[in-house]
Amino acid sequence: MSFPERLLEALKLADVKRHGAGVWLAKQTGTTVKAANKWLNGESQPRREKVLQIASATGVRPEWLEYGTGEIISDEVRENTSTYNLHTADAWDSDTPLEPHEVEVPFFSEVELAAGNGFSNVQEISTHKLRFNLSTLHKAGVSTDTVACCKVTGDSMEPVLPGGSTVGIDTSQVKIQDGKMYAIEHGGLLRVKYLYRLPFNGIRIISANPDVQDEELSGESAQDVRIIGRVFWYSVLL
């Protein structure tokens, strides 16, 4: 299967019709309709960061979309058919009874960290809880002891994660897998970004927003970045 064929299959899963697909792709990736139509027609192939944006927007695996390897559906949407319709977590209070199939998950409405003090301080200012389906955690291979949720602020991860989106984090997954989305502590802030390894222990930090420049940190600078965990789930309200 060629890249245009995989791209059309991904669009079909996202319920995007072939007519108007160029406009939709352009909006999702911040590119021109002309460039998007070239991807659809096989005249060119998007850069890696564009592939990541398309994969996240359609709910397919970037590796499958770019190379045709592995399974088509991503972990984030395996349980659901729509990337943006993940009804697996709801805000609740201490008076809401917990169902047998649910678990309490810390929910951090604050994303700014005191510089150098780490993720534990964010846990202390957690003001809400989420109810999370155990089946979602089991299918993602995430332990109830290592899951947390937080809100994303700003527009650096748009259009994949608009400001106000909620992400689920597996705090046991702190080893970088290229192209995966992670929550990191950097400069006293909790940030959600795509990460790539660089030679000599460096890190490339990529935002979904094409207007935000990629960051490359050398081995020494990269030591200032602490990986909190891998994002395995997210919910977006449109």
Side-chain angles (χ1 to χ4, degrees):
M1 184 181 291
S2 65
F3 176 80
E5 290 172 330
R6 293 194 299 274
L7 180 56
L8 288 174
E9 185 67 22
L11 292 171
K12 181 179 178 181
L13 288 173
D15 199 27
V16 177
K17 306 300 182 184
R18 177 62 178 87
H19 177 69
V23 174
W24 188 88
L25 285 169
K27 182 179 179 180
Q28 296 298 320
T29 61
T31 190
T32 64
V33 175
K34 182 178 179 180
N37 283 327
K38 286 185 177 181
W39 303 340
L40 291 163
N41 297 330
E43 299 175 42
S44 65
Q45 189 161 327
R47 300 192 305 273
R48 176 66 179 176
E49 59 266 28
K50 302 297 184 185
V51 172
L52 289 172
Q53 292 169 6
I54 297 169
S56 294
T58 57
V60 302
R61 289 184 178 274
E63 296 83 358
W64 176 86
L65 180 59
E66 189 167 16
Y67 305 113
T69 59
E71 298 181 9
I72 180 173
I73 301 296
S74 68
D75 292 336
E76 288 85 355
V77 297
R78 185 170 300 281
E79 187 180 355
N80 302 275
T81 57
S82 172
T83 304
Y84 300 127
N85 190 27
L86 300 176
H87 299 296
T88 53
D90 298 295
W92 69 310
D93 57 35
S94 58
D95 296 326
T96 304
L98 189 66
E99 298 293 336
H101 63 279
E102 295 174 333
V103 64
E104 286 187 20
V105 175
F107 177 64
F108 310 122
S109 58
E110 301 291 336
V111 298
E112 186 168 353
L113 301 174
N117 288 337
F119 191 48
S120 60
N121 283 350
V122 179
Q123 292 177 330
E124 293 172 4
I125 62 174
S126 175
T127 56
H128 299 85
K129 297 284 187 181
L130 291 184
R131 58 172 67 183
F132 219 105
N133 283 347
L134 286 170
S135 61
T136 300
L137 301 182
H138 292 160
K139 289 185 178 182
V142 179
S143 169
T144 56
D145 297 326
T146 62
V147 62
C149 290
C150 72
K151 277 192 177 295
V152 176
T153 61
D155 62 357
S156 67
M157 289 301 288
E158 290 187 354
V160 178
L161 295 177
S165 303
T166 300
V167 297
I169 305 165
D170 181 0
T171 60
S172 70
Q173 298 292 320
V174 295
K175 185 176 181 180
I176 295 176
Q177 298 181 48
D178 287 348
K180 296 296 185 180
M181 192 184 297
Y182 291 86
I184 61 174
E185 179 190 351
H186 187 208
L189 296 177
L190 176 62
R191 309 174 71 192
V192 176
K193 301 290 182 181
Y194 295 113
L195 299 184
Y196 286 85
R197 294 170 295 172
L198 294 176
F200 308 109
N201 298 317
I203 299 176
R204 176 179 289 121
I205 301 174
I206 296 180
S207 301
N209 190 332
D211 294 329
V212 179
Q213 187 174 1
D214 296 348
E215 304 170 58
E216 291 192 1
L217 305 179
S218 64
E220 183 176 349
S221 299
Q223 293 179 6
D224 295 331
V225 175
R226 188 166 66 87
I227 300 174
I228 295 170
R230 182 176 65 85
V231 174
F232 71 92
W233 172 94
Y234 56 83
S235 178
V236 177
L237 297 178
L238 299 178

